[in-house]
Amino acid sequence: MKRSDKIIRAIKTLPVIVATVLIVVWLSWSEEGNKIVTASYQPQSTPDLTLINSASDHYNETGDLQYHLVANQIDHYKKDDLAYLIKPDLTNQQPGLNWHASSLTGEANLKTDKITLNDQVEIVRTTADNQKLTLRASTLTIYPNKNYAENDVLTIIHSANSYIETKGFRTDFESGDTLLKSNVRGTHEVQQ
Amino acid sequence: LPEDKTQPIKLEADQAKMNNKTGVSEYTGNVIIIQGTAELRADKVFLYSENNEVTRMEAFGSPAKYQQILNPGEEPTHIEGNKLDLKVKENNAIVTGNGKVFRGEDVLESNKITYSLDTGELKASASDPKTNPGDSRVKFIINPQIKDKSSDSEPQK
């Protein structure tokens, strides 16, 4: 094939190549802020921030301490503004009431002001005269700004001499009032 | 039975609210509370406790029902009324509104009955006609014990 033929063929195929590149670039144009999403962008699999053995205090808008959070590890994912917690341990102090919640894992969604604790969740409420109420469940969602926590799963509640099972509960951190949502079964031991 | 009071209290309900400050728990929906042979069934029960001890059960129903066996071998005593106020410390139950007490075949009806949980003693009072213009008198239906005829006839000497 003569040299001139090759040049002509190359000129003919150039627009096709340019068009293909443009299409790929157009397809990869992301709606999110018109940011170019290149093939190398993967769904966020690595945190943008990791805290090891961290302790943090969280305040509400009026400057009151909402809760103190200790965790073995916190992985924060910028894209979803989510923090995954390993062995979280939350303490919430109210007048006359101390709340202490812990679990194996958790997830803090900073956008929706929600902390979900999972796997061997335990929440202990201690009154001023040291009366303890312990609630155990597989999951629990805490709403720090609204000062309450709830779930819809089997929850077991222990106090000094009573044992109660319920399907779902909701507890208010400030008043200490607890609603047992359904299927309430309990035993109260009489002190001899 | 006398030992009922030492038995654990078993509770069942559709829902419950535990008020931390007052120590009162409100159980609602098919409420069943059992302690030994004593059994309470109601639509709603307020459980009062002090130092983790149940001191009072205020039951509401249509009617609320309570039964217990006073002594071994006896038939249970059934109590019912719109409201049953069981005071654990004072060991009595106050029935108000369509109160009835059934013991075997005998029935006592009154708008207000005070029943002793450990002796079974009953006090029924007619309610105030002004507040309760309806039938407010006490009614007591005692079924005579019908003796077995054969035991009457003496053997001919």
Side-chain angles (χ1 to χ4, degrees):
Chain A
M1 185 191 279
K2 278 188 276 164
R3 191 161 180 276
S4 57
D5 290 345
K6 281 183 187 166
I7 293 167
I8 294 166
R9 207 172 79 195
I11 292 166
K12 277 183 185 163
T13 56
L14 188 60
V16 171
I17 294 168
V18 168
T20 310
V21 168
L22 283 177
I23 288 167
V24 166
V25 168
W26 179 71
L27 279 177
S28 58
W29 191 274
S30 135
E31 314 81 32
E32 271 180 54
N34 288 346
K35 181 179 63 182
I36 288 185
V37 179
T38 60
S40 64
Y41 176 75
Q42 297 292 335
Q44 188 94 45
S45 57
T46 54
D48 63 298
L49 168 71
T50 291
L51 303 172
I52 306 287
N53 292 330
S54 68
S56 51
D57 285 337
H58 299 256
Y59 296 83
N60 58 21
E61 288 103 10
T62 53
D64 301 321
L65 176 64
Q66 271 180 340
Y67 59 91
H68 176 70
L69 172 63
V70 172
N72 281 22
Q73 182 169 324
I74 297 179
D75 291 330
H76 178 262
Y77 290 87
K78 191 168 186 175
K79 175 177 177 278
D80 309 312
D81 212 359
L82 268 183
Y84 285 102
L85 319 171
I86 297 171
K87 290 217 157 179
D89 188 300
L90 273 96
T91 311
N92 176 313
Q93 186 62 48
Q94 297 286 339
L97 277 179
N98 173 277
W99 295 88
H100 181 201
S102 60
S103 66
L104 293 185
T105 63
E107 192 182 297
N109 187 322
L110 307 181
K111 279 183 204 159
T112 58
D113 166 45
K114 215 165 74 165
I115 301 172
T116 305
L117 300 182
N118 295 307
D119 309 327
Q120 297 176 26
V121 179
E122 179 178 279
I123 183 167
V124 179
R125 182 195 79 184
T126 309
T127 58
D129 54 356
N130 209 30
Q131 301 274 347
K132 285 192 187 302
L133 191 77
T134 304
L135 303 97
R136 288 197 181 91
S138 55
T139 186
L140 172 72
T141 301
I142 297 172
Y143 299 87
N145 279 344
K146 295 177 190 131
N147 235 351
Y148 77 88
E150 72 173 340
N151 68 18
D152 287 308
V153 298
L154 172 67
T155 302
I156 293 169
I157 302 168
H158 279 279
S159 74
N161 49 359
S162 72
Y163 166 95
I164 297 177
E165 283 184 16
T166 176
K167 184 163 186 292
F169 87 101
R170 173 181 163 133
T171 195
D172 182 281
F173 290 143
E174 209 168 333
S175 67
D177 294 350
T178 302
L179 167 71
L180 310 184
K181 292 183 180 177
S182 68
N183 291 337
V184 179
R185 302 287 179 270
T187 301
H188 181 93
E189 295 294 337
V190 178
Q191 281 160 2
Q192 306 306 329
Chain B
L1 297 178
E3 63 269 20
D4 281 349
K5 271 178 282 183
T6 62
Q7 303 295 309
I9 298 171
K10 296 194 184 302
L11 305 113
E12 271 187 41
D14 293 343
Q15 227 186 41
K17 279 187 215 153
M18 303 154 88
N19 185 310
N20 170 52
K21 288 202 167 65
T22 61
V24 178
S25 301
E26 176 188 346
Y27 291 85
T28 50
N30 303 308
V31 184
I32 303 171
I33 298 179
I34 296 171
Q35 185 177 32
T37 66
E39 184 178 305
L40 173 65
R41 288 174 181 264
D43 301 332
K44 177 185 283 192
V45 175
F46 290 98
L47 213 69
Y48 297 76
S49 47
E50 281 164 28
N51 306 317
N52 287 309
E53 269 318 299
V54 175
T55 54
R56 180 182 172 201
M57 297 187 219
E58 202 180 10
F60 299 85
S62 41
K65 296 186 176 186
Y66 176 77
Q67 74 161 45
Q68 69 165 161
I69 299 173
L70 269 174
N71 299 302
E74 274 186 8
E75 281 186 56
T77 300
H78 296 271
I79 304 173
E80 63 180 50
N82 299 346
K83 176 182 169 186
L84 303 184
D85 197 349
L86 291 114
K87 298 198 171 152
V88 179
K89 277 191 187 169
E90 292 90 340
N91 242 326
N92 68 28
I94 299 172
V95 189
T96 43
N98 299 313
K100 291 191 178 85
V101 178
F102 303 87
R103 195 176 281 160
E105 303 289 315
D106 304 342
V107 183
L108 166 73
E109 287 182 31
S110 169
N111 264 324
K112 183 170 182 186
I113 302 171
T114 302
Y115 170 79
S116 164
L117 293 171
D118 52 7
T119 63
E121 190 187 307
L122 290 164
K123 249 185 266 160
S125 49
S127 49
D128 180 350
K130 280 190 242 73
T131 56
N132 198 313
D135 180 3
S136 62
R137 290 171 59 79
V138 178
K139 284 197 211 78
F140 213 158
I141 304 162
I142 302 175
N143 285 280
Q145 303 292 327
I146 299 163
K147 275 204 179 134
D148 194 358
K149 283 226 170 42
S150 57
S151 63
D152 276 359
S153 51
E154 296 297 333
Q156 300 301 330
K157 286 196 178 81

